[in-house]
Amino acid sequence: MERIIFWNNKGGTGKTTLAFQVISEYARQNKYKRILAIDVCPQANLSELLLGGLNQEGSKILLMRQGANPRATIGGYFQMRLPSPYSVPVFNPKDYLTNPGQYNSYIADNVDLLCGDAMLELQSNAMSTLANNQIPGTNPWIAVINWLNDFIKIIEKEYDIVFLDANPSFSIYTQMAIAASTKVILPVMADDSSRRAIQNAFSLIYGLKLPSEIYSKYAFAEKLKEVNMPLPRIYMVLKNRLTQYMGAASAYAVVLSTIDRDICSLMETYPSIFSFSSLENGIIDIRDFQTTGVVSVARGCPFQMLRSGRLDLIGKRVAVKEDYRQHCIDDIEKVVFRLKQDL
């Protein structure tokens, strides 16, 4: 079973918006597949979108799930693991899951969600401390890093695919999410900071081009290698938020071509960390969603379900143009088509 994570250690690349649109459209096109979405982010934006967005009080529904007993979020699951960090206790994963379709009619009912939780920030220090303990005969770090793997393994027979959304940090909960994944979707933007972020992402996940060998033995990749755990492979690079009128001579195009060259160089030197062998198979251009994207996420309504025209947005009427909506649909369908080809 594939476990696909949306991640970049740079914020603002549209990662969560893309995850929301791709998960929703993949579920719509594959009604007989069971999909698990895991929100590994303290901001829990993916959860709020799937639960209804601003217009449908997604944040209020999330708070209600946080108030369940047990707390029906990833934070609730981690809280249960804290007293038993190095062995897997008996528990029911379904206690922590939510079906967004029960609250948001725009989301297909074949999606289940492990909600995000602001408690992750509070739990991070505790989990890091537990992971760094020295216990003879035990590898505390790998035991803690595997908490999400433990959750998925117990329930994996009930799902066909898992999507994970992680925040830009490389905190211990992000490392858990990456360790639990088989493939990485890496959203980038047409700016030089995104280019640097790609280099940072490869350093953080794969231990490439570290500034000093001092860091090698502490690297995430080395720690997984010690216990023969595989690293996820780069599955897609999504060039996101491109202007629809970007010409070949624009400054954006120069940056994007540089990103292409960087990725080509990495593919030549480290082919095993990619699941594609050519840029055409691995890089997808995504145009700026503009107003259509704002309305979609505010309403918790994926592009395919969104109608064009003047729509209510928090008491105001906002126009969604049909040609823009169709551009958005086309770009998301390119990603979903690639997923359907491979899965």
Side-chain angles (χ1 to χ4, degrees), residues 245-262:
Y245 306 105
M246 185 177 69
S250 73
Y252 292 114
V254 172
V255 175
L256 290 172
S257 63
T258 305
I259 289 173
D260 285 353
R261 288 196 299 272
D262 288 349

Side-chain angles (χ1 to χ4, degrees), residues 20 23-24 27 34-39 46-53 56-58 61-62 64-65 72 96-116 159 299-300 302:
F20 168 66
I23 292 168
S24 302
R34 295 292 300 169
I35 296 153
L36 177 61
I38 301 180
D39 189 351
L46 177 64
S47 302
E48 291 183 351
L49 295 181
L50 289 170
L51 293 172
Q56 299 184 74
E57 298 186 316
I61 296 166
L62 177 60
M64 180 187 71
R65 297 304 290 151
Y96 302 96
L97 298 180
T98 301
N99 183 261
Q102 293 183 7
Y103 306 97
N104 182 0
S105 61
Y106 297 128
I107 304 301
D109 60 8
N110 55 332
V111 178
D112 285 334
L113 169 67
L114 180 58
C115 294
Y159 294 95
R299 293 170 69 91

Side-chain angles (χ1 to χ4, degrees), residues 103-133:
Y103 306 97
N104 182 0
S105 61
Y106 297 128
I107 304 301
D109 60 8
N110 55 332
V111 178
D112 285 334
L113 169 67
L114 180 58
C115 294
D117 197 326
M119 277 182 62
L120 285 174
E121 293 288 16
L122 294 172
Q123 294 169 333
S124 179
N125 285 341
M127 293 187 295
S128 295
T129 299
L130 290 168
N132 290 319
N133 280 337

Side-chain angles (χ1 to χ4, degrees), residues 194-206:
S194 269
R195 181 191 174 200
R196 292 193 301 273
I198 291 175
Q199 296 167 348
N200 291 340
F202 280 86
S203 292
L204 291 168
I205 298 179
Y206 303 107

Side-chain angles (χ1 to χ4, degrees), residues 216-228:
S216 297
K217 67 178 180 179
Y218 304 109
F220 175 75
E222 284 300 312
K223 289 185 175 183
L224 290 188
K225 186 178 178 181
E226 286 174 7
V227 292
N228 296 315

